[in-house]
Amino acid sequence: VSTPEPSEEIQAVYPNPTNDQLNIERSTAAPALAELYNMHGQVMRKATLRGFKSKLDVNGLTPGIYFLRVDQKGAIKVVVNR
């Protein structure tokens, strides 16, 4: 899986590593599609982000490395642990 540079729209993603939810801070409040991919390129979670701050539930995911993409721009490595 290639990992493009993070999107300029994403200001912060925390906590990372996480075990239940990710907080996503963005530079815009416009709605955006967030997708969390596993190492095989499969979409494991999808959510529509609204506002400058959003949350993405990662509860129940297998511990490992995932990649967060917002509106198909860039990617950020996310570690899910228990």
Side-chain angles (χ1 to χ4, degrees):
V1 174
S2 65
T3 55
E5 292 299 312
S7 169
E8 291 179 12
E9 178 182 319
I10 299 173
Q11 300 295 305
V13 175
Y14 60 91
N16 192 6
T18 188
N19 58 13
D20 61 351
Q21 70 180 8
L22 281 173
N23 297 293
I24 303 167
E25 293 184 8
R26 302 181 308 131
S27 61
T28 179
L33 176 64
E35 296 174 305
L36 194 66
Y37 293 86
N38 66 13
M39 294 293 288
H40 303 288
Q42 299 168 306
V43 177
M44 303 305 291
R45 293 283 191 274
K46 278 187 183 184
T48 300
L49 306 180
R50 300 182 195 288
F52 293 104
K53 294 182 180 183
S54 301
K55 296 180 186 295
L56 182 65
D57 180 24
V58 297
N59 224 348
L61 289 178
T62 302
I65 296 173
Y66 295 84
F67 296 94
L68 174 67
R69 293 187 80 175
V70 176
D71 279 348
Q72 296 298 314
K73 298 175 190 166
I76 292 177
K77 183 169 82 171
V78 174
V79 177
V80 174
N81 60 21
R82 292 283 160 237

